[in-house]
Amino acid sequence: GLSIETLKSGARKFIYSDRLPSDFSISSNVLSNGKIRVLISGTSGNPISGTSGTLFSFNVKAGDGLADTSVVTIDNVILSDAND
């Protein structure tokens, strides 16, 4: 069905917004159930700027066999700061 656009290296392509500090990185892996886990982390403890708006984005590619109407669900979101 759906996949996230990838770079030439094969890594998923995430587009960082200006809200993420420069030391933040985004990584991902495919779980055994086919879901993709995305992790955003920073090493300095600098906060994400602002209180609303886009943090990152990605392009979703649809396979030929995907139904005309499909739902992309983002769930199980966990946020934490330096103090947990």
Side-chain angles (χ1 to χ4, degrees):
L2 294 175
S3 63
I4 295 177
E5 181 181 11
T6 58
L7 301 168
K8 288 182 181 179
S9 66
R12 285 170 199 84
K13 180 181 177 182
F14 294 103
I15 302 137
Y16 294 61
S17 79
D18 292 342
R19 293 189 58 213
L20 292 177
S22 61
D23 71 311
F24 271 53
S25 63
I26 303 173
S27 58
S28 64
N29 68 319
V30 178
L31 304 177
S32 60
N33 61 7
K35 291 183 178 184
I36 297 175
R37 176 170 287 151
V38 177
L39 174 68
I40 305 171
S41 62
T43 56
S44 68
N46 289 332
I48 295 170
S49 64
T51 58
S52 66
T54 302
L55 293 177
F56 70 99
S57 58
F58 53 90
N59 294 318
V60 177
K61 298 186 326 181
D64 292 337
L66 189 68
D68 288 339
T69 303
S70 298
V71 175
V72 176
T73 303
I74 298 175
D75 64 3
N76 200 20
V77 176
I78 301 170
L79 299 174
S80 178
D81 63 10
N83 298 316
D84 198 26

